[in-house]
Amino acid sequence: MSVTQSTAVERVRVSAEHDWYESAGISLGIRVGNLVFTSGQAPVDTQGATVGVGDFEAQARQALANLSTVLTNAGSSLADTVKATVFVTDITQQDVFARLRAEHFPDEPHLAESFVEVSSLADPEWMIEIEAIGLIR
């Protein structure tokens, strides 16, 4: 069996006006062909400050807003999200996130999602982080 190497697909860094992850040395997202892969979007504002300390819903809304910004800057959108991985520090917040998911991802077919409890995230104040794969039309 032989494998033929095809032309490499360019990887394009996705950023935002105030790139809240630049100082960490990571990209908000990477666009490859007609897909965008986001880094985990945390509950931070454009200056990198945590939003909604102790308030899961406020943090989830901020993480979703950040996810929307990254996807939009890559030429995608929440509506074009095909897969999301949601990391939370308290699995009992699943019902809150289910309500927000229905609000932010109402279209069918529904996106593929993993909802995972972790012992901690990069910042101890964070209660949620969301990464996604979006389609670029």
Side-chain angles (χ1 to χ4, degrees), residues 119-133:
S119 60
S120 65
L121 294 163
D123 184 309
E125 293 182 329
W126 296 353
M127 303 168 79
I128 186 169
E129 189 171 328
I130 308 167
E131 64 181 28
I133 301 170

Side-chain angles (χ1 to χ4, degrees), residues 69-132:
T69 296
V70 175
L71 291 167
T72 299
N73 288 357
S76 187
S77 69
L78 290 177
D80 293 315
T81 301
V82 295
K83 170 71 170 103
T85 304
V86 182
F87 302 97
V88 297
T89 57
D90 181 1
I91 201 76
T92 66
Q93 298 296 330
Q94 190 167 13
D95 289 344
V96 175
F97 191 78
R99 184 172 39 80
L100 295 174
R101 181 189 327 103
E103 181 181 318
H104 288 81
F105 302 99
D107 298 334
E108 291 191 15
H110 298 298
L111 61 92
E113 178 189 292
S114 298
F115 194 84
V116 182
E117 183 179 52
V118 296
S119 60
S120 65
L121 294 163
D123 184 309
E125 293 182 329
W126 296 353
M127 303 168 79
I128 186 169
E129 189 171 328
I130 308 167
E131 64 181 28

Side-chain angles (χ1 to χ4, degrees), residues 14-112:
V14 180
S15 64
E17 169 112 8
H18 295 282
D19 190 331
W20 48 93
Y21 285 174
E22 177 65 29
S23 64
I26 61 176
S27 298
L28 290 172
I30 297 288
R31 180 177 174 165
V32 180
N34 69 336
L35 296 174
V36 59
F37 301 83
T38 74
S39 289
Q41 297 305 305
V44 296
D45 63 19
T46 58
Q47 305 306 312
T50 300
V51 171
V53 175
D55 181 342
F56 180 83
E57 184 169 343
Q59 288 200 4
R61 287 186 181 281
Q62 183 65 47
L64 286 162
N66 291 347
L67 181 62
S68 179
T69 296
V70 175
L71 291 167
T72 299
N73 288 357
S76 187
S77 69
L78 290 177
D80 293 315
T81 301
V82 295
K83 170 71 170 103
T85 304
V86 182
F87 302 97
V88 297
T89 57
D90 181 1
I91 201 76
T92 66
Q93 298 296 330
Q94 190 167 13
D95 289 344
V96 175
F97 191 78
R99 184 172 39 80
L100 295 174
R101 181 189 327 103
E103 181 181 318
H104 288 81
F105 302 99
D107 298 334
E108 291 191 15
H110 298 298
L111 61 92

